[in-house]
Amino acid sequence: MNNVYYGKLVFELSKPGRVGYSLPQCEVEGYALTDLPEGLRRQSATILPECDELTVVRHYTNMSNNNFGVDTGFYPLGSCTMKYNPKINEEMAALQDFNIHPAVPAEYAQGALRVYDEVQAMLSEIAGLSRFTLNPYAGAHGELTGLMVISTYHRQRGDVARTKIIVPDSAHGTNPASAAVAGFQIVQVKSTADGTVDVEDLKPLLGPDIAGMMMTNPNTLGIFETKIPEIARLVHECGGLMYYDGANLNPMLGVCRPGDMGFDVMHINLHKTFSTPHGGGGPGSGPVGVREGLEHCLPNPQVVKNEETGLYELVADEQSLGSVSGYLGNFAIIIRAFAYLLSLGKENIPLAGKLSVLNANYIKECLRSHYKLPIDGLCKHEFVFDGLKDEYAGDHHDADHVTTLDVAKRLLDYGFHAPTIYFPLLFHEAMMIEPTETESKDTLDAFIEVMKTIAEEAKADKQLLKTAPHSTPIRRLDDVKAVKEPKFTFKAL
Ligand SMILES: *Cc1c(COP(=O)(O)O)cnc(C)c1O
């Protein structure tokens, strides 16, 4: 690809005087932009690219062709649930009827508030909890909100000694980060060899200073935490609350519910399990649910139906933890999740979860001949390999030993997105694969075939893998330099 648009910034394509769009004359008599008071007018010209329409179209089309997305290919990124985003969701979110200013009085936004309330009711049913707020903007934001619910609960009981949160060593990095931002100290609990929380390691950690415990289920290894009832009992006995990181709720859908397992607070990622698009930092939505008795702690504003008038109202509860967002969260994402829930319907929601488990186990069983499987047994929606088997990777003392990074880069040459690599931290060569339920068997088979081919290539020609990718617009980057010396600004300006 060597056209003049390729790899250029739109500013580099700019030529003074080129115009792609012109504003019509102002139709309101007596008004002109130059009538603005002197103090409000800009003192220098704006720095904007000057391009004709065709140049702009080619620029953005070329850029979009360099992207990899769920709409272009298989995206087995573990812990991210890159399932297909049905286009009907987009149509619903684009409906003009929902194009309402967020500050519109509740009486004029009854339809939107009803969507909000129905989504919160459906999530409550799916989770087995009493009430959800849809205000938080992301999974991590939901964690922070949920942890603030926990601290609000303890503070309102006058129990201010509970300053610590227990987090398993397998947890997603956002868990300890959110707990720290919420003002807690973090206490780590270990995992056993089978990848689940070690109850014996947990017991001595419990005491009057524990505010709660965060758990992810299935955990970040894709394994169902079977000892939850016992753990929940122990944490509750010591006066703490149980927090469920439900970012990866997908395999649980309609099969089991965090509320029934003894969890008090949880978050859900609408931008994973409920099919709304994500990646590149947003937009997202991290609804937070609570069990009965904790509803008043949820953030304001709360959407409440007035049973007398039948109208939805925006309520600011005095006992609430406060506010975590402007207005009612990422509303367009909430509409997308609503469309998804309604299209699947109550009868099909359990199927989504079960198929995601089937797909993950299918890939795992087909590839365990070539890749190291550190934890055996049935996985849920995802699983972790610990790199290639030695017979393919070579001796790990050798410089040309093939690593997980090399496999991930080579996958790009075959048109697949790489899985999550080097996470979770429990294994040196971790490779975390999550196919989701929306992939066909044909796609899974093609992926399995390529993963086997890469293993054979590793055996035959290590340099081929060490220097991959070969067919992408940009070859292998220096990952460390990209992180340590990122260049965010265009210098020529
Ligand atoms: C994705 C994820 C999060 C964080 O969600 P964001 O929306 O990216 O903030 C938290 N926990 C787990 C287990 C996750 O997979």
Side-chain angles (χ1 to χ4, degrees):
M1 275 222 277
N2 260 328
N3 67 44
V4 293
Y5 306 93
Y6 187 71
K8 294 229 174 78
L9 297 177
V10 72
F11 287 97
E12 292 172 286
L13 299 171
S14 171
K15 290 273 156 59
R18 292 230 170 122
V19 174
Y21 185 78
S22 45
L23 292 169
Q25 287 293 324
C26 180
E27 287 174 355
V28 185
E29 234 173 278
Y31 279 93
L33 285 177
T34 45
D35 291 341
L36 282 175
E38 181 67 28
L40 295 181
R41 275 187 253 158
R42 63 167 63 250
Q43 300 304 307
S44 56
T46 43
I47 305 173
L48 288 176
E50 296 177 73
C51 296
D52 54 281
E53 184 174 320
L54 180 56
T55 299
V56 174
V57 168
R58 288 191 177 146
H59 171 69
Y60 285 107
T61 307
N62 276 304
M63 274 213 298
S64 74
N65 285 342
N66 284 335
N67 264 336
F68 192 97
V70 177
D71 286 356
T72 50
F74 184 43
Y75 209 132
L77 199 65
S79 201
C80 292
T81 314
M82 306 303 286
K83 62 169 81 173
Y84 174 59
N85 314 130
K87 298 303 164 234
I88 179 106
N89 299 358
E90 299 303 314
E91 269 176 56
M92 296 303 114
L95 284 177
Q96 273 309 304
D97 311 68
F98 288 122
N99 192 359
I100 315 167
H101 192 281
V104 140
E107 56 192 298
Y108 298 119
Q110 287 296 302
L113 296 180
R114 183 173 159 193
V115 168
Y116 184 104
D117 190 51
E118 291 199 8
V119 171
Q120 88 69 25
M122 288 179 188
L123 296 180
S124 298
E125 189 177 341
I126 286 170
L129 291 169
S130 170
R131 187 167 187 82
F132 267 81
T133 174
L134 312 182
N135 297 8
Y137 291 125
H141 195 203
E143 290 170 27
L144 175 63
T145 306
L147 289 158
M148 287 162 76
V149 166
I150 292 177
S151 60
T152 304
Y153 162 80
H154 289 309
R155 201 177 52 243
Q156 285 174 356
R157 292 183 309 120
D159 191 349
V160 291
R162 298 189 181 272
T163 54
K164 295 181 181 163
I165 290 281
I166 299 173
V167 179
D169 57 5
S170 65
H172 195 270
T174 50
N175 287 191
S178 304
V181 174
F184 290 109
Q185 285 163 267
I186 291 101
V187 184
Q188 200 180 71
V189 58
K190 290 201 186 73
S191 302
T192 57
D194 71 358
T196 60
V197 168
D198 186 342
V199 181
E200 292 315 311
D201 192 55
L202 173 69
K203 284 178 184 165
L205 305 177
L206 297 168
D209 55 348
I210 296 299
M213 171 163 178
M214 299 181 87
M215 279 186 81
T216 307
N217 187 44
N219 65 23
T220 54
L221 298 168
I223 293 168
F224 192 91
E225 293 276 359
T226 47
K227 301 202 189 73
I228 285 175
E230 187 186 354
I231 293 171
R233 183 178 53 77
L234 290 169
V235 172
H236 285 146
E237 272 172 14
C238 97
L241 295 184
M242 287 292 286
Y243 184 91
Y244 189 99
D245 178 336
N248 298 327
L249 196 69
N250 207 33
M252 304 286 110
L253 286 178
V255 179
C256 59
R257 312 194 303 170
D260 300 337
M261 298 176 205
F263 286 93
D264 306 287
V265 187
M266 77 174 294
H267 83 270
I268 287 176
N269 280 24
L270 293 187
H271 52 285
K272 288 181 182 168
T273 307
F274 295 94
S275 88
T276 74
H278 63 300
S285 176
V288 170
V290 293
R291 69 157 161 77
E292 211 177 328
L294 291 172
E295 299 93 335
H296 61 277
C297 298
L298 288 173
N300 288 330
Q302 303 181 6
V303 177
V304 177
K305 188 170 183 180
N306 182 327
E307 290 304 337
E308 266 173 39
T309 61
L311 294 178
Y312 293 97
E313 294 170 359
L314 289 178
V315 175
D317 195 311
E318 276 180 16
Q319 290 184 298
S320 156
L321 60 87
S323 176
V324 297
S325 56
Y327 307 103
L328 296 168
N330 262 334
F331 193 66
I333 292 293
I334 295 166
I335 299 170
R336 286 177 173 92
F338 189 49
Y340 178 72
L341 281 158
L342 291 181
S343 358
L344 280 189
K346 202 170 173 168
E347 59 287 7
N348 289 318
I349 283 177
L351 199 57
K354 287 178 185 173
L355 285 175
S356 74
V357 173
L358 179 64
N359 283 357
N361 279 286
Y362 180 65
I363 296 181
K364 169 169 69 68
E365 292 306 315
C366 290
L367 286 178
R368 60 185 298 169
S369 49
H370 292 66
Y371 293 82
K372 284 185 206 159
L373 183 64
I375 296 175
D376 206 352
L378 199 70
C379 66
K380 292 295 163 217
H381 61 305
E382 64 191 357
F383 64 92
V384 181
F385 280 138
D386 192 9
L388 276 166
K389 283 194 166 173
D390 294 345
E391 57 194 286
Y392 299 102
D395 187 336
H396 71 271
H397 297 297
D398 293 346
D400 67 353
H401 162 254
V402 175
T403 64
T404 280
L405 179 68
D406 302 326
V407 175
K409 295 295 181 194
R410 186 65 178 143
L411 265 173
L412 307 181
D413 282 334
Y414 287 103
F416 290 112
H417 196 280
T420 295
I421 59 172
Y422 300 111
F423 177 83
L425 306 175
L426 298 176
F427 306 108
H428 279 298
E429 293 292 330
M431 185 186 285
M432 191 182 190
I433 298 175
E434 178 183 10
T436 84
E437 73 281 9
T438 55
E439 296 301 333
S440 66
K441 182 163 177 294
D442 307 321
T443 305
L444 303 185
D445 284 336
F447 176 72
I448 289 162
E449 204 47 49
V450 161
M451 286 289 280
K452 286 183 179 171
T453 303
I454 292 174
E456 298 299 341
E457 285 175 349
K459 204 175 199 174
D461 181 2
K462 302 232 168 341
Q463 278 314 307
L464 178 71
L465 266 82
K466 290 295 239 204
T467 52
H470 300 276
S471 63
T472 51
I474 291 174
R475 301 283 300 276
R476 193 178 295 208
L477 289 170
D478 180 339
D479 291 4
V480 177
K481 200 172 156 96
V483 173
K484 299 288 179 197
E485 293 173 37
K487 296 203 175 90
F488 292 126
T489 49
F490 179 50
K491 278 284 164 44
L493 288 178

